[in-house]
Each structure stands twice: as structure tokens, then as C-alpha cells.
């Protein structure tokens, strides 16, 4: 069973470790891995208010970072410790985000490294569509169906 807890300032090292373990192979292929550079980047990005720690069977196994506005939920990252990947944790997390998006009548947006075929296939299996791309990423969206949206009809 998956549960979440809100991150706090004490989670800086935990989230950096998870990020390192789960993204290092991809980052090495694209830019090369420089621990000092990655640590500085993490310091600038770390915002515990946007992060929820993912817990599976009393283990902190990953985290999700999101930005929410009036129209969408933007998934900045879903990172799962390597030893817990392939156990459907990412799928369960995404299904939770989809449920929230439907309840809040918002689309979900994210980007995924082009070289991360495994993640892209997961998103596609959950009906995310590729809506654009950058040099390194596919931009993807889960569109909440119109019948779930507030029509705001004026009478």
C-alpha cells in the first residue's frame, strides 16, 4: 500500500539521494554526472512544499514533486529508488494523481527524457498523450474529459 507524507526541510538529503539513485544513469548519458553540479541544482530546486515522500510498506521509496495551478497539475518529477522500481509504485502514484486531477477538474502535464522509454511507455499506458517536445524531453498531458470539467455555463 502506498501512502504519502508532506516533505519538510529535513528531507533535503533523502530527496537528493533518491534523485541520484534514480536519475544518475539517464543524466550520465545526456550530460555526464557531476555530483557538485547536481547538488547545486538540487539546492536551487528543493522546495519541500511541492514534494510528497512516497512510502511503501514503511519504507521511504521515492517522492513526487508537483506544481498546481487553476488549470493543471504539473508533475515536476516522480522518482522511485532503483531497488523499488518495477513494483508498480510509479503506476499507483500516477493513478492517485489522475484521481486528484479528475476531482479537481484539472489536466496533468509533465515532461519525460526522450531516452527514458520505460517511463514514457508507462505514461502512454495511462492515456497520457505527447503534445510537444524539446531537444531532450517529450511534453505529455493527461486530458481530463470534458464531462468531468466545470462548464461554467451562465444562466
Amino acid at each position: 500500500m502506498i501512502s504519502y507524507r508532506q516533505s519538510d526541510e529535513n528531507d533535503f538529503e533523502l530527496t537528493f539521494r533518491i534523485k541520484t539513485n534514480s536519475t544518475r544513469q539517464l543524466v550520465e548519458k545526456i550530460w555526464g554526472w557531476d555530483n557538485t553540479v547536481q547538488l547545486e541544482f538540487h539546492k536551487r530546486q528543493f522546495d519541500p512544499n511541492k514534494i510528497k515522500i512516497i512510502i511503501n510498506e514503511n519504507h521511504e521509496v521515492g517522492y513526487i514533486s508537483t506544481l498546481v495551478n487553476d488549470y493543471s497539475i504539473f508533475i515536476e518529477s516522480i522518482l522511485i529508488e532503483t531497488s523499488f522500481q518495477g513494483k508498480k509504485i510509479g503506476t499507483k502514484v500516477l493513478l492517485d494523481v489522475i484521481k486528484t486531477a479528475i476531482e479537481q477538474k484539472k489536466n496533468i502535464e509533465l515532461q519525460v527524457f526522450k531516452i527514458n522509454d520505460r517511463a514514457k511507455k508507462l505514461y502512454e499506458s495511462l492515456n497520457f498523450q505527447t503534445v510537444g517536445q524539446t531537444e531532450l524531453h517529450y511534453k505529455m498531458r493527461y486530458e481530463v474529459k470534458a464531462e468531468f470539467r466545470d462548464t461554467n455555463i451562465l444562466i
Side-chain angles (χ1 to χ4, degrees):
M1 168 140 175
I2 299 294
S3 62
Y4 306 90
R5 72 167 174 80
Q6 185 62 49
S7 179
D8 62 35
E9 294 296 331
N10 297 320
D11 290 316
F12 179 84
E13 287 185 25
L14 171 67
T15 55
F16 184 66
R17 186 191 78 229
I18 291 168
K19 182 183 278 186
T20 299
N21 293 343
S22 63
T23 66
R24 184 177 187 137
Q25 287 183 324
L26 294 169
V27 171
E28 280 179 339
K29 288 178 183 176
I30 298 169
W31 297 290
W33 184 270
D34 181 322
N35 209 57
T36 303
V37 169
Q38 293 301 320
L39 184 58
E40 284 303 313
F41 186 65
H42 190 66
K43 283 179 187 174
R44 288 193 308 271
Q45 276 194 319
F46 181 71
D47 180 352
N49 297 315
K50 299 185 301 184
I51 297 171
K52 290 194 170 127
I53 305 299
I54 302 165
I55 300 166
N56 182 49
E57 298 177 5
N58 297 320
H59 297 286
E60 295 169 326
V61 299
Y63 70 89
I64 179 169
S65 176
T66 57
L67 290 171
V68 179
N69 63 34
D70 291 339
Y71 308 103
S72 66
I73 299 170
F74 181 77
I75 299 174
E76 290 184 316
S77 55
I78 298 175
L79 300 176
I80 308 295
E81 283 278 13
T82 308
S83 60
F84 288 92
Q85 292 177 5
K87 299 180 187 230
K88 304 290 184 195
I89 294 169
T91 302
K92 291 173 187 169
V93 171
L94 282 165
L95 290 171
D96 286 345
V97 176
I98 290 168
K99 180 181 176 196
T100 299
I102 291 169
E103 289 169 354
Q104 295 180 5
K105 301 172 178 138
K106 297 178 181 184
N107 292 329
I108 305 167
E109 298 176 348
L110 57 82
Q111 25 179 58
V112 59
F113 282 128
K114 287 181 175 179
I115 65 170
N116 194 349
D117 294 328
R118 186 175 176 189
K120 186 171 186 274
K121 285 177 185 171
L122 169 61
Y123 299 135
E124 289 171 339
S125 76
L126 294 171
N127 296 319
F128 281 77
Q129 302 295 315
T130 300
V131 295
Q133 60 183 303
T134 68
E135 182 182 340
L136 300 174
H137 297 92
Y138 291 112
K139 295 181 177 194
M140 301 186 80
R141 178 180 302 134
Y142 178 93
E143 190 86 28
V144 173
K145 295 182 181 177
E147 61 264 27
F148 295 125
R149 292 188 173 275
D150 186 359
T151 57
N152 291 324
I153 297 173
L154 298 176
I155 299 176

